[in-house]
Amino acid sequence: MSRPMRYDEGTDVSTEQVLKSHEVPWESFTSLRLISDRDAQLIRKYDKRKRDTQAELLEQNGPAYCEAFLNVLRNVTKEEAVQYVLALIDDMLSVDPTRAQLFHQESDMHLANLPDPYGIFLRLLNKTDWFTQAKAAKTLTAILEARPDKEPFTTEDGAPNGSAVPEGVDHAMKTFIEWLCSQLRRPFNPTHSVPAAIHCLSRLLRERSVRVLFQRVPGSVQLLAPLLRSNASVAAPNQQLLYETGMCVWQLTFYEQAAEAMGSSGVVQGLVDMARQATKEKVMRVAMLALRNLLTNDKLQLGPEMVEAGLPKVVQQRITQTKEDEELTGALDSLDVSLKENIQLLSSFEKYKKEVLGDSLDWTPMHTSQQFWKENVEKFEEKDFQILRVLLKLLEASRETRTLAVGCHDLGMFITNHPHGRSIVTGNVRSEQHVAYSGSVCTEPDDGFLGLICL
């Protein structure tokens, strides 16, 4: 028996290479009673045949062949034999993915001890060679997708569902999702683990209840944003990895809790970079659809972040390039309208930020506009109240009378319009000293009052 090839040793082994290079002594496994004579006969009858012949055999008794494959994977530990059977299954499913349904059907052999495909492939995920891990993950994804009579795994609030979900399936999906997340955190294979895990997730997250399971894994949703940003920022990004990562994000935008977690994880910048860098329409399309879902979620308030990330320019460029895809055109038009509205709201606050950061304040209309403060007071929370802290420092350091007067007024407006304004301002260790001092040095009419209302 030849020495097994291993991904983790630096060799990228394909299914075709394994099928060509491996010679498995099935008779030795039957003599050791690891597999039955019938299992060995079925495998020999199927192995090395033309695709047409294999298709006919599967049509005649597909479940029996799948049971034979599973019996080898369950009972045989020889790495080369395990790899070979995984390659046979991978090749079988690559020709026709619907054949995964065969693993859910019982053959006419009436076995007393039917092999459990979920348990077998979950166990193989813990093997120490990447080929076995990769093919086990890919096959398990196909089998989970193909299961009949799908039932939700969890209720909307994350509690166990009362409907008839088989315990084995429930455990398999949860365990598999956790394993996929672990590959995103600490890849077993530095080159292949992340793309393989994302591929599986992009398929499994089509189910609404799987999105719930994924979101319940601590830190899972936050894993996607760095992956998007790092891949989209390189000179020649992996377009397929971008697409499948975008698919994961887009599908998760339909689940409120996951969308909220993504909104605070920096996923917006990654999606904008993805839309900007996309060389394939499907990549740009999924990025724009995800951004539209996030933007139209009023609870997230991500419009300003999208404007700052440069999305309006990207949308304008893509509108001129997209004509035939009605869904994409609709998404782009919707984004364009919403972003223009956000630009109008942002413009005055951006101007205000620039003025505060410039260390000098004047009585421009936005300081005295009630509408400005009502519409923009929440924007002071950005970057841990950065602008508010700069304003407080300005009140401490400035000796310019008008700047002090306007600054005191602005603090008062913030306290008046923000639901927690007073506690936020006074929570700063020295803020009361800033305001009291500023009020005492103001000489303009009503400046003393402006300082006092801050307290």
Side-chain angles (χ1 to χ4, degrees):
M1 186 179 288
S2 60
R3 182 174 180 269
M5 300 182 185
R6 303 171 67 95
Y7 265 160
D8 50 308
E9 292 178 352
T11 302
D12 291 353
V13 184
S14 68
T15 291
E16 292 74 17
Q17 287 175 311
V18 170
L19 293 176
K20 287 180 180 179
S21 64
H22 287 34
E23 292 293 337
V24 182
W26 304 111
E27 293 79 4
S28 65
F29 299 138
T30 57
S31 63
L32 293 171
R33 298 182 181 274
L34 295 175
I35 60 174
S36 67
D37 290 334
R38 181 172 173 81
D39 288 336
Q41 290 171 4
L42 286 169
I43 294 174
R44 283 196 298 265
K45 187 175 181 180
Y46 180 89
D47 188 23
K48 310 294 185 185
R49 305 300 178 188
K50 294 181 179 180
R51 292 207 185 277
D52 290 346
T53 302
Q54 291 178 337
E56 290 177 7
L57 294 173
L58 293 173
E59 185 70 27
Q60 294 167 8
N61 201 2
Y65 287 95
C66 289
E67 288 173 4
F69 296 151
L70 290 174
N71 282 329
V72 174
L73 296 178
R74 178 177 62 179
N75 300 323
V76 176
T77 58
K78 280 287 187 181
E79 190 172 284
E80 187 172 13
V82 170
Q83 289 180 350
Y84 192 82
V85 171
L86 286 172
L88 282 175
I89 295 173
D90 185 52
D91 181 68
M92 177 186 79
L93 296 180
S94 67
V95 174
D96 184 359
T98 63
R99 290 172 177 171
Q101 299 170 5
L102 297 173
F103 287 94
H104 297 285
Q105 300 171 17
E106 190 174 341
S107 72
D108 56 5
M109 296 169 64
H110 306 296
L111 298 178
N113 184 19
L114 285 171
D116 170 28
Y118 300 130
I120 289 170
F121 288 107
L122 285 174
R123 179 175 55 82
L124 293 176
L125 295 177
N126 297 317
K127 291 294 184 179
T128 57
D129 70 286
W130 174 242
F131 182 87
T132 298
Q133 287 189 19
K135 299 307 176 186
K138 184 178 178 182
T139 304
L140 182 55
T141 299
I143 293 174
L144 285 167
E145 281 187 303
R147 70 188 190 281
D149 304 321
K150 294 179 182 177
E151 294 286 351
F153 292 98
T154 55
T155 58
E156 198 64 26
D157 61 0
N161 195 312
S163 57
V165 182
E167 184 178 350
V169 180
D170 189 76
H171 170 74
M173 186 66 84
K174 291 176 181 177
T175 304
F176 189 33
I177 292 294
E178 290 172 356
W179 183 85
L180 292 171
C181 290
S182 74
Q183 291 301 306
L184 297 181
R185 287 192 187 94
R186 297 181 184 86
F188 177 84
N189 183 287
T191 306
H192 300 285
S193 285
V194 170
I198 287 294
H199 172 73
C200 295
L201 283 171
S202 70
R203 293 169 59 181
L204 294 174
L205 287 171
R206 295 169 186 170
E207 287 186 57
R208 192 166 182 232
S209 57
V210 177
R211 299 168 198 163
V212 179
L213 290 181
F214 178 76
Q215 193 273 333
R216 291 178 63 193
V217 177
S220 58
V221 175
Q222 290 79 2
L223 294 169
L224 299 175
L227 182 58
L228 269 182
R229 292 196 301 269
S230 62
N231 194 30
S233 61
V234 299
N238 181 331
Q239 294 290 315
Q240 186 61 24
L241 179 57
L242 268 183
Y243 173 68
E244 292 182 341
T245 308
M247 282 291 294
C248 291
V249 171
W250 174 64
Q251 290 171 127
L252 288 168
T253 61
F254 292 97
Y255 178 49
E256 184 69 26
Q257 293 183 33
E260 290 177 11
M262 286 192 297
S264 60
S265 70
V267 75
V268 166
Q269 185 65 63
L271 287 170
V272 174
D273 291 342
M274 175 180 168
R276 182 185 294 113
Q277 291 280 71
T279 57
K280 294 186 177 181
E281 185 171 290
K282 69 175 185 178
V283 178
M284 187 264 291
R285 187 176 190 272
V286 75
M288 291 300 185
L289 292 176
L291 285 164
R292 181 188 63 180
N293 285 0
L294 292 171
L295 183 58
T296 54
N297 189 326
D298 294 334
K299 189 175 181 180
L300 301 181
Q301 295 293 307
L302 292 175
E305 186 177 344
M306 293 185 186
V307 172
E308 292 181 1
L311 182 57
K313 184 177 180 180
V314 177
V315 169
Q316 287 296 325
Q317 291 174 340
R318 294 302 187 180
I319 285 176
T320 62
Q321 300 168 357
T322 306
K323 302 296 182 184
E324 298 180 359
D325 189 328
E326 292 184 5
E327 184 179 17
L328 178 55
T329 301
L332 289 169
D333 290 340
S334 175
L335 281 168
D336 188 41
V337 171
S338 297
L339 289 170
K340 285 177 180 176
E341 293 174 355
N342 277 275
I343 289 172
Q344 290 176 355
L345 292 174
L346 268 176
S347 59
S348 57
F349 187 70
E350 290 301 314
K351 187 176 180 181
Y352 178 84
K353 285 170 59 177
K354 186 176 181 180
E355 185 176 349
V356 172
L357 294 172
D359 298 331
S360 180
L361 304 176
D362 202 352
W363 291 111
T364 51
M366 57 190 167
H367 294 282
T368 57
S369 167
Q370 287 291 342
Q371 183 179 356
F372 170 85
W373 288 99
K374 287 180 180 179
E375 292 178 348
N376 294 285
V377 69
E378 290 185 359
K379 295 187 176 72
F380 280 82
E381 297 177 6
E382 294 175 0
K383 299 182 179 178
D384 193 24
F385 295 95
Q386 179 193 37
I387 294 302
L388 182 63
R389 289 187 283 107
V390 173
L391 183 60
L392 288 169
K393 188 169 183 178
L394 184 59
L395 287 173
E396 178 185 25
S398 179
R399 295 296 179 268
E400 185 180 331
T401 302
R402 190 174 296 275
T403 294
L404 293 172
V406 177
C408 287
H409 171 271
D410 287 359
L411 282 180
M413 296 299 286
F414 175 79
I415 290 172
T416 302
N417 288 276
H418 195 286
H420 307 292
R422 186 177 300 277
S423 61
I424 292 169
V425 172
T426 57
N428 183 289
V429 176
R430 302 179 63 192
S431 62
E432 293 196 19
Q433 300 174 15
H434 296 166
V435 178
Y437 174 76
S438 302
S440 69
V441 299
C442 290
T443 59
E444 294 198 5
D446 296 325
D447 286 349
F449 169 73
L450 296 175
L452 288 173
I453 64 171
C454 297
L455 303 175

